[in-house]
Amino acid sequence: MTLEPTPIFRCRSRDGRYVFDILPGQSVRVGRSQEHSDIAIDSNMLCRIHAVFHHRGSKCVLEYGPNPTSPISVNGESIGKEGITLNTGDSIKFNYRVIFELERFDP
């Protein structure tokens, strides 16, 4: 019996300034606060913790941070408070400005 390798997800901002990996079992907090976020983005338009990416099994799930005040959209559609499972190639937009693309790597 062979096990499927667990993928690694990577988010890359369109401008190339921000790149981060989401490893198996890991959660990555993205926001404006260097103190509270794993990835701090220099924008006062974002919350301290704007969004959280979770690596769950073979999926990447995106959820709002704890006190959302600004929108998050995936492929032009606003996400609900329950979050969304992302797909490779999805375009993730925070507050109409910061745009990320999701990539997937199979080891």
Side-chain angles (χ1 to χ4, degrees):
M1 172 184 219
T2 49
L3 296 173
E4 290 287 320
T6 302
I8 297 170
F9 296 99
R10 174 170 290 160
C11 274
R12 180 185 313 271
S13 63
R14 284 202 180 149
D15 64 7
R17 289 180 61 196
Y18 305 99
V19 178
F20 59 93
D21 291 339
I22 308 150
L23 303 174
Q26 184 182 37
S27 293
V28 177
R29 298 168 302 190
V30 179
R32 73 171 192 268
S33 170
Q34 291 182 357
E35 182 180 340
H36 297 96
S37 299
D38 301 305
I39 306 299
I41 296 174
D42 184 23
S43 172
N44 62 356
M45 302 298 286
L46 300 182
C47 302
R48 285 187 299 172
I49 301 173
H50 196 80
V52 183
F53 291 84
H54 302 281
H55 193 304
R56 295 185 178 145
S58 62
K59 300 182 186 309
C60 184
V61 177
L62 174 64
E63 297 175 342
Y64 279 99
N67 297 306
T69 58
S70 302
I72 299 173
S73 64
V74 175
N75 302 325
E77 299 289 325
S78 292
I79 71 167
K81 298 297 180 202
E82 68 282 352
I84 188 170
T85 299
L86 298 172
N87 296 301
T88 302
D90 279 350
S91 177
I92 303 141
K93 190 180 287 188
F94 298 154
N95 199 21
Y96 311 110
R97 294 176 188 246
V98 181
I99 302 173
F100 287 91
E101 300 286 334
L102 184 73
E103 302 170 7
R104 174 184 167 134
F105 299 95
D106 293 301

